[in-house]
Amino acid sequence: MTETREVTAERGPFFFKRELGKEEGEYKLVGREIERPDAFSKIMGLTKFTADRLTEDVCFGKIVRSKYPHALIKRVIVDEALQIKGVLAVITAKDVPGENQIGYAIPDQPLLADKKVRYIGEPIAIVVAENEYAAEKGVEAVKVEYDPLPAVFDPLEALKPEAPKVHEKGNVALTTIIRKGDVEKGFKEADVVVENIYYTQRQEHAYLEPEAAIAYPEGDGIRVVLCTQSPFLVREFVSRVTGYSQSKIKVIGAPAGGAFGGKDDMGPMVASKAALAAIITKKPVAIILDKEETFVASNKRHPAIIRYKSGATKDGKLTAVEIEIIYETGAYANRSPFVLWRATVHSAGPYVVPNAKVDGKSVYTNKVFSGSFRGFGDPQIHFAAEQQMDELAEKLGIDPVEFRLRNVLKEGTRTVCNQLLEESVGMEETLKKVAEAANWKKKREELKKYRKGSKVRGIGVACAYHGISTSRGVPDWSAAAVLLNEDGTITYRSTITRLGQGSLIGHAKIVAEILDIPLEWVHIEEPDTSASPNARPTHGSRGLMTGGTAAADAALKLRRTLIKLASELLNCDEKNVKLENGKAFCALDPSNKIEFSELAKETYQRGYQPAYYGFYFVPRRYFDPETGLGVAYCVYTYIANIVEVEVDKETGEVKVLEAYTGADVGKAIDPGLIEGQMQGALAQGIGYAISEEVAFNDGKIINPNYTDYIIPTVKDVPRKVKVVIIEKPYSSTAFGAKGVAEAALIPTAPAIANAVAHATGVRVRNLPLTKEKVCFKLKEGKK
């Protein structure tokens, strides 16, 4: 599926380069692929989250869910359920010993609905039983009496004054704003103006493994094992719900069978229910959602309505944008304030725009809540921004790639929120290299030959950028622990989970590089909140960048200790002591050396510290709430995608034939893992662009299965994919690495939409580009 990878590197500083005393070409592990699969099996010490965890006397919890989109709860009748053999308890809101609240950004979401339900599928009660069958029968036996209320399912309807209120405070969860320059003046200076409305849909995560958690009562505390992206966030939620202090809660993150943001949101919710059930029954309790539950009750990608106006001069320079963003958050805010803010600060795309007016609204409706999803608000806004760029280019008679190059962000330029970009800005290089790989100009001309007959072809481009780490000025940090064992092996601990560009593998490579030992000497323990400090969640493409830098901090501390000890043992000045290939030696006399294993043993016997915590605090971000201007993210990843499509004019079917995707990743710690992430993100983006959509009827999901919800198969993946890696290191992180796991998905949908427009002459502004939409648009024959 994949052709040769192309890597363009630019040397850049990283914060400990001098201390290691190496040049770029001397690194043995960082920037190189590891051998697979053996290297994984040697260094990964993770226990799989499989049926073996259920061999103990574990009970099962099943959820009683709302059948109404909006209703008052009059009464929950549990008597019949409690009579079923094997049912141990039926837990409702009144049984919650702590706070019945799991709202993330806004405290608006109960763990178990007590007075009111706001979407079909909302949890009302937990039935705990000795086996799954009894638990399911118990759920059927619980009776809930409702008083139905008027519901609202459309965000534009929800904004009307007469609309039913999802929450008492109203239907707007949050607003965002950017005011930069003089928009009216900017549009007066424009020679062309393009104005359109874009629509994007809900997308299901569709991970292989559903949400699951097991909670074990242990003495006066509790242990929770689950598939999650955020072990410490799970601990925070469990503490809030149960009333237990955080010191009495141990959370272990098992390997997740896919996450994509969904298990960042759902993990704490499922874990809190399992922990509550375990505390009340005093027994281990497992809660494992089935696939239909995941469809019905888990968070989805935010659907969006985006009104977009942009202007440019005849020489191809952007002058102004005016944008209205409406993101539908569903019944609860969840992560919406952060998702909407990300969309707002990326709203102009990776381009210099001197004048901007942007307004965003996050709107409640009576549908399942929205939340974290790979790309986190950026795919929606770039779908609009990148089609606007193509239409401007067409009106101006400028090639779409050339038009973008005239406007891309570079070092020394400012983003739409007026952030000065001082380093690690690789948008121009990325676009040029991807266009070169795709043979853009030649292919654009050649495809005109495929305009006859029922099947036509086109090629499209889209760019994007994605801020790494958290947003809205929220403090961010990461932590890690490096322990030297007496035999010279290393135990590595972090609560960053094994997701994205192989985060924990990347951490291990960084540790091994700094200590100059073989990678297989580094043993990675599963994430455990009782064994290492809070590394914060594995989201926002931050797992390798922030977690890896914390790992480097810990490894450097240990390295300094080992050099000091080796200096004593070798009778050699510290500045002349070298660590290399699992040995310490004196540079003045290389035969004067000691094996790493002996050095480790001496560390303990001579009273030197053998273990260190590492910590990394992300450079602060800030913004003016009155204007939205400021530093939104410490650094950005820059992406360009080019795709070739074939469109069947009779059926409207769109096939992606070739794809070229590239990103400025800072420093490629493991190019193979990056390539895998780029390919996976591209495939998920193709599903978002062409086929995937969660469908509703009066608030009820009507396609909660993989028969009716269409995800891409191997046959839908392009026959040719080429990944281009650009390296523009960031000086504040280990080896200059940035995040990449979300990158390729973001510009995939607009690249496909632009390719379809190039092939057919008509433009579809409503995702997904299904056969029906494309066919009807072709019959209309309108842009």
Side-chain angles (χ1 to χ4, degrees), residues 463-765:
C463 297
Y465 72 137
H466 188 67
I468 308 302
S469 181
T470 56
S471 59
R472 299 189 77 219
V474 175
D476 193 22
W477 66 87
S478 198
V482 172
L483 293 74
L484 175 65
N485 300 307
E486 291 178 80
D487 63 355
T489 60
I490 297 294
T491 297
Y492 178 71
R493 295 172 180 166
S494 172
T495 55
I496 294 292
T497 56
R498 185 158 53 102
L499 299 167
Q501 56 173 312
S503 289
L504 293 180
I505 300 292
H507 295 191
K509 291 183 71 176
I510 288 168
V511 170
E513 186 71 71
I514 290 171
L515 298 177
D516 216 317
I517 59 175
L519 182 60
E520 58 264 28
W521 290 11
V522 182
H523 172 85
I524 303 172
E525 292 195 344
E526 54 191 288
D528 183 341
T529 57
S530 67
S532 61
N534 187 357
R536 304 269 293 156
T538 312
H539 67 201
S541 293
R542 63 181 294 282
L544 180 61
M545 188 184 92
T546 63
T549 306
D553 183 48
L556 281 168
K557 291 173 182 175
L558 179 59
R559 177 189 172 90
R560 292 170 196 142
T561 294
L562 295 175
I563 286 177
K564 185 176 181 180
L565 172 60
S567 172
E568 177 185 325
L569 294 171
L570 301 174
N571 194 25
C572 177
D573 192 286
E574 285 185 31
K575 67 181 181 182
N576 293 319
V577 173
K578 304 294 182 183
L579 294 181
E580 190 173 307
N581 295 325
K583 297 179 180 65
F585 64 92
C586 184
L588 301 178
D589 178 12
S591 65
N592 183 16
K593 61 186 177 181
I594 183 172
E595 293 292 330
F596 199 83
S597 57
E598 287 299 314
L599 190 61
K601 190 180 298 181
E602 291 291 335
T603 303
Y604 284 84
Q605 293 182 354
R606 292 176 180 257
Y608 281 79
Q609 185 172 330
Y612 288 93
Y613 288 126
F615 190 79
Y616 174 63
F617 191 78
V618 177
R620 291 299 295 264
R621 290 87 59 229
Y622 58 87
F623 72 101
D624 180 349
E626 298 297 320
T627 63
L629 304 182
V631 177
Y633 295 90
C634 60
V635 72
Y636 298 83
T637 293
Y638 299 87
I639 318 106
N641 284 4
I642 290 176
V643 299
E644 180 185 339
V645 303
E646 181 180 80
V647 182
D648 189 320
K649 292 167 66 176
E650 294 182 357
T651 66
E653 182 180 14
V654 176
K655 288 184 178 179
V656 181
L657 303 179
E658 297 182 9
Y660 305 83
T661 180
D664 160 25
V665 305
K667 174 64 181 177
I669 300 297
D670 190 306
L673 287 169
I674 289 174
E675 185 174 319
Q677 285 298 308
M678 297 283 280
Q679 291 177 18
L682 180 73
Q684 200 165 34
I686 289 171
Y688 182 55
I690 294 175
S691 62
E692 295 185 44
E693 181 172 16
V694 179
F696 289 83
N697 182 25
D698 291 336
K700 182 178 181 179
I701 295 175
I702 57 176
N703 58 337
N705 54 67
Y706 293 122
T707 299
D708 302 313
Y709 184 87
I710 310 301
I711 61 174
T713 69
V714 68
K715 290 186 177 182
D716 300 304
V717 175
R719 68 190 181 195
K720 180 180 179 182
V721 175
K722 188 170 185 179
V723 174
V724 178
I725 297 173
I726 305 297
E727 294 183 310
K728 297 274 283 186
Y730 176 45
S731 63
S732 293
T733 60
F735 296 96
K738 300 192 292 190
V740 72
E742 300 169 271
L745 185 149
I746 297 166
T748 298
I752 292 172
N754 287 337
V756 169
H758 180 239
T760 64
V762 301
R763 188 167 290 280
V764 181
R765 301 185 181 90

Side-chain angles (χ1 to χ4, degrees), residues 9 41 78 101 230 247 264 335 422 452 481 499 503 511 541 683 781:
S41 61
V78 304
Q101 181 55 243
S230 315
S247 63
D264 194 14
R335 308 296 175 96
E422 299 179 281
K452 297 177 181 179
L499 299 167
S503 289
V511 170
S541 293

Side-chain angles (χ1 to χ4, degrees), residues 15-80:
F15 76 99
F16 53 85
K17 184 173 182 179
R18 288 183 181 175
E19 185 161 350
L20 295 189
K22 296 182 180 181
E23 292 301 321
E24 190 78 15
E26 294 182 274
Y27 297 109
K28 298 180 176 65
L29 296 170
V30 170
R32 291 157 177 78
E33 297 176 41
I34 61 175
E35 295 180 4
R36 295 173 187 54
D38 289 345
F40 277 98
S41 61
K42 287 179 181 177
I43 66 177
M44 294 305 294
L46 296 170
T47 303
K48 292 183 179 179
F49 182 43
T50 53
D52 64 332
R53 291 193 180 274
L54 303 181
T55 56
E56 300 179 41
D57 184 21
V58 175
C59 301
F60 290 85
K62 294 291 181 180
I63 311 301
V64 178
R65 301 186 181 278
S66 170
K67 297 179 181 179
Y68 287 84
H70 201 198
L72 298 175
I73 298 174
K74 296 170 66 177
R75 191 163 57 134
V76 180
I77 305 168
V78 304
D79 297 3
E80 186 178 333

Side-chain angles (χ1 to χ4, degrees), residues 378-493:
D378 274 346
Q380 300 94 313
I381 196 66
H382 281 88
F383 176 69
E386 286 300 298
Q387 291 203 74
Q388 290 287 113
M389 292 296 287
D390 252 39
E391 290 203 57
L392 286 169
E394 184 179 1
K395 282 181 175 288
L396 292 167
I398 301 174
D399 176 83
V401 168
E402 174 59 29
F403 180 58
R404 285 169 170 81
L405 289 172
R406 294 184 190 184
N407 292 281
V408 292
L409 293 168
K410 303 175 184 178
E411 289 180 12
T413 62
R414 292 183 180 271
T415 67
V416 70
C417 63
N418 211 41
Q419 177 177 346
L420 177 64
L421 300 175
E422 299 179 281
E423 62 170 319
S424 190
V425 186
M427 188 67 259
E428 182 179 27
E429 293 90 334
T430 301
L431 178 55
K432 284 181 177 179
K433 284 294 182 180
V434 172
E436 182 183 319
N439 203 1
W440 167 265
K441 288 185 178 179
K442 183 178 180 182
K443 186 68 69 71
R444 185 98 172 165
E445 190 63 30
E446 283 182 349
L447 289 179
K448 290 179 181 178
K449 297 185 298 184
Y450 294 90
R451 298 294 164 79
K452 297 177 181 179
S454 62
K455 293 184 178 181
V456 294
R457 292 186 184 181
I459 189 169
V461 62
C463 297
Y465 72 137
H466 188 67
I468 308 302
S469 181
T470 56
S471 59
R472 299 189 77 219
V474 175
D476 193 22
W477 66 87
S478 198
V482 172
L483 293 74
L484 175 65
N485 300 307
E486 291 178 80
D487 63 355
T489 60
I490 297 294
T491 297
Y492 178 71
R493 295 172 180 166

